[in-house]
Amino acid sequence: MTTIVYILFLVAIIGFVVYSATRKRKTSEPPVIKIYPHYEPTPLDLEVVRLINEYRINLDLRVFTIDEHINNVANSHSLYMAKKKKPSHDYATERQNQFPNKRVGEIVAYNFQSAASVVAGWKNSPGHDKAMRNPEYLNIGIATATDINSKLYYTVIFTT
């Protein structure tokens, strides 16, 4: 009988150790986002910016200036979404913190095959459209990434 109790005790201890080692722990520290330097916008990226700027010109708004640092931050998020295989605004606060003392806006999209189609999609979405038309935003960064299934993920970040 003592052997059975001893074995059950060992199984319980081993189970607890395995459970403790594999469960996800909550942390109070914010996640670190990796910024990849020197993202070079693709022709698709540049066409998206051209179309957004054309839209702003038609509304008598200033055109955006492309910013390298914003591109790098956008790239980190597009790569993140492609890796996760889903569009998201995960870690938006951490991205906003990359631009102290500035107002920041972000729009994302998934699986649009052309610049015209993604910009049209954003124009037809009130929240996205409002971000593109915000006269306070002066700078833009953009990046696209492709997942293993060849789906495109877009991130556009605006700053004041």
Side-chain angles (χ1 to χ4, degrees):
M1 181 73 166
T2 354
T3 306
I4 293 173
V5 170
Y6 181 72
I7 291 172
L8 289 173
F9 176 75
L10 284 178
V11 168
I13 293 294
I14 291 170
F16 177 76
V17 169
V18 169
Y19 169 75
S20 295
T22 59
R23 75 183 184 126
K24 291 184 180 179
R25 290 189 172 84
K26 291 184 179 180
T27 176
S28 60
E29 294 181 30
V32 175
I33 61 169
K34 177 143 177 73
I35 306 300
Y36 299 93
H38 311 299
Y39 176 76
E40 190 66 35
T42 66
L44 175 63
D45 298 336
L46 296 174
E47 180 64 5
V48 168
V49 173
R50 187 189 72 75
L51 291 172
I52 292 172
N53 277 337
E54 185 178 275
Y55 180 49
R56 286 174 65 91
I57 288 169
N58 290 334
L59 298 170
D60 292 324
L61 297 170
R62 288 178 51 174
V63 296
F64 289 117
T65 301
I66 297 175
D67 181 280
E68 181 181 357
H69 178 60
I70 304 172
N71 284 343
N72 294 337
V73 175
N75 181 47
S76 72
H77 189 58
S78 289
L79 291 170
Y80 169 82
M81 291 188 299
K83 181 179 178 183
K84 294 291 185 181
K85 294 188 261 182
K86 70 174 192 162
S88 77
H89 290 285
D90 294 352
Y91 309 116
T93 300
E94 287 75 17
R95 283 187 297 288
Q96 290 172 357
N97 291 341
Q98 297 294 313
F99 311 101
N101 305 314
K102 294 191 178 206
R103 293 196 55 219
V104 180
E106 174 182 276
I107 57 178
V108 300
Y110 158 75
N111 205 29
F112 286 88
Q113 298 305 308
S114 70
S117 65
V118 73
V119 172
W122 285 328
K123 284 181 184 179
N124 289 321
S125 167
H128 294 95
D129 188 54
K130 182 178 179 182
M132 290 191 298
R133 292 184 294 104
N134 187 328
E136 293 181 19
Y137 294 146
L138 306 173
N139 305 299
I140 191 171
I142 182 169
T144 51
T146 307
D147 71 13
I148 60 172
N149 298 316
S150 300
K151 307 286 187 202
L152 277 167
Y153 294 81
Y154 298 77
T155 302
V156 175
I157 298 174
F158 309 106
T159 69
T160 55

